[in-house]
């Protein structure tokens, strides 16, 4: 079973088809959960992710995409993600680092691009961006050793997206974790 936390409209769903998981989504938004069902989620629950409505060690994989930077206490959420993950299971989060570079790229530039398709102004609050060292410490305290990997949008895809010639932009690896990053780990 795979739990996608703060799943929104379930954009992750189509990427999971055929992988053999029963996919469960949690979000606060009922409208988004309805969309997630249409994107292939098998079941959804409307709940606050600081108190997930699931028993300990229920899931083989827990994912949290673009969610930690939207909650006031991301570290409490990380504790919850680790709690519902079974030993040997995989945790995957992606979020934004609490750095000046991230603030410049994710807010000053991205939210003010004079192009369609940019994130609306106010999408991000830099005060919620996530401290990487603390994220690692908190996950470790809950039994998950996270490895951080820097990611960025594929430049060519980004240009085609802005020109409205592409609907999705691939993310690719980059050395720096100072802006967007993935945290991946296994629970012992
Ligand atoms: C930027 S969207 C990310 C959606 C999805 N994970 C994705 O990558 O496309 C953030 C989502 O977090 C949800 N959210 C924010 N705070 C939440 C909370 N405390 N509990 C549950 N969902 C929350 C919002 O409703 C929204 O759908």
């Amino acid at each position: 079973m795979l739990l996608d936390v703060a799943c929104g409209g379930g954009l992750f769903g189509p990427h999971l088809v055929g992988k053999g998981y029963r996919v469960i989504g949690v979000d606060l938004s009922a409208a988004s959960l309805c969309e997630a069902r249409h994107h292939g989620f098998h079941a959804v629950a409307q709940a606050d992710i600081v108190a997930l409505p699931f028993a300990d060690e229920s899931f083989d994989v827990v994912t949290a995409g673009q969610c930690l930077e939207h909650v006031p206490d991301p570290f409490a959420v990380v504790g919850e993600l680790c709690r519902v993950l079974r030993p040997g299971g995989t945790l995957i989060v992606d979020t934004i680092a609490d750095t000046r570079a991230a603030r410049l790229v994710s807010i000053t530039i991205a939210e003010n691009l004079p192009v369609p398709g940019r994130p609306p102004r106010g999408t991000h609050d830099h005060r919620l961006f996530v401290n990487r060292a603390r994220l690692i410490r908190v996950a470790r305290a809950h039994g998950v050793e996270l490895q951080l990997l820097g990611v960025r949008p594929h430049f060519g895809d980004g240009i085609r997206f802005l020109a409205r010639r592409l609907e999705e932009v691939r993310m690719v690896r980059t050395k720096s974790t100072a802006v967007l990053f993935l945290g991946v780990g296994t629970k012992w």
Side-chain angles (χ1 to χ4, degrees):
M1 279 217 294
L2 182 149
L3 177 68
D4 190 24
V5 159
C7 63
L11 297 183
F12 197 21
H15 300 281
L16 296 169
V17 172
K19 301 267 192 294
Y21 294 113
R22 180 169 169 75
V23 179
I24 318 291
V26 177
D27 203 282
L28 274 183
S29 159
S32 296
L33 290 172
C34 200
E35 234 181 280
R37 290 297 295 235
H38 288 109
H39 279 120
F41 278 55
H42 298 103
V44 294
Q46 188 177 12
D48 191 326
I49 56 177
V50 296
L52 290 170
F54 304 107
D56 297 357
E57 305 182 353
S58 320
F59 293 93
D60 304 296
V61 180
V62 176
T63 58
Q66 297 175 35
C67 121
L68 296 179
E69 73 276 19
H70 292 286
V71 292
D73 188 352
F75 305 108
V77 171
V78 169
E80 275 295 271
L81 307 184
C82 297
R83 178 184 68 74
V84 300
L85 186 65
R86 71 161 172 79
T90 304
L91 174 64
I92 305 171
V93 300
D94 74 77
T95 188
I96 304 179
D98 65 341
T99 62
R100 285 185 184 195
R103 188 171 171 178
L104 176 72
V105 172
S106 305
I107 299 179
T108 312
I109 297 176
E111 293 188 9
N112 289 290
L113 280 174
V115 290
R118 65 167 166 77
R121 289 199 182 119
T123 298
H124 291 114
D125 176 346
H126 71 90
R127 292 166 300 183
L128 299 180
F129 288 177
V130 176
N131 183 277
R132 290 162 289 173
R134 188 167 172 202
L135 175 65
I136 290 172
R137 276 200 310 276
V138 170
R140 186 179 292 141
H142 290 88
V144 176
E145 192 64 43
L146 274 186
Q147 190 195 354
L148 303 192
L149 310 167
V151 289
R152 63 164 173 81
H154 183 278
F155 292 136
D157 284 6
I159 289 167
R160 284 191 282 278
F161 175 82
L162 292 175
R164 296 189 162 192
R165 289 175 42 216
L166 203 64
E167 287 196 352
E168 276 191 352
V169 178
R170 281 170 294 172
M171 300 301 286
V172 292
R173 289 277 303 275
T174 185
K175 276 189 192 156
S176 172
T177 59
V179 180
L180 300 172
F181 68 91
L182 277 176
V184 182
T186 302
K187 186 168 174 180
W188 56 75

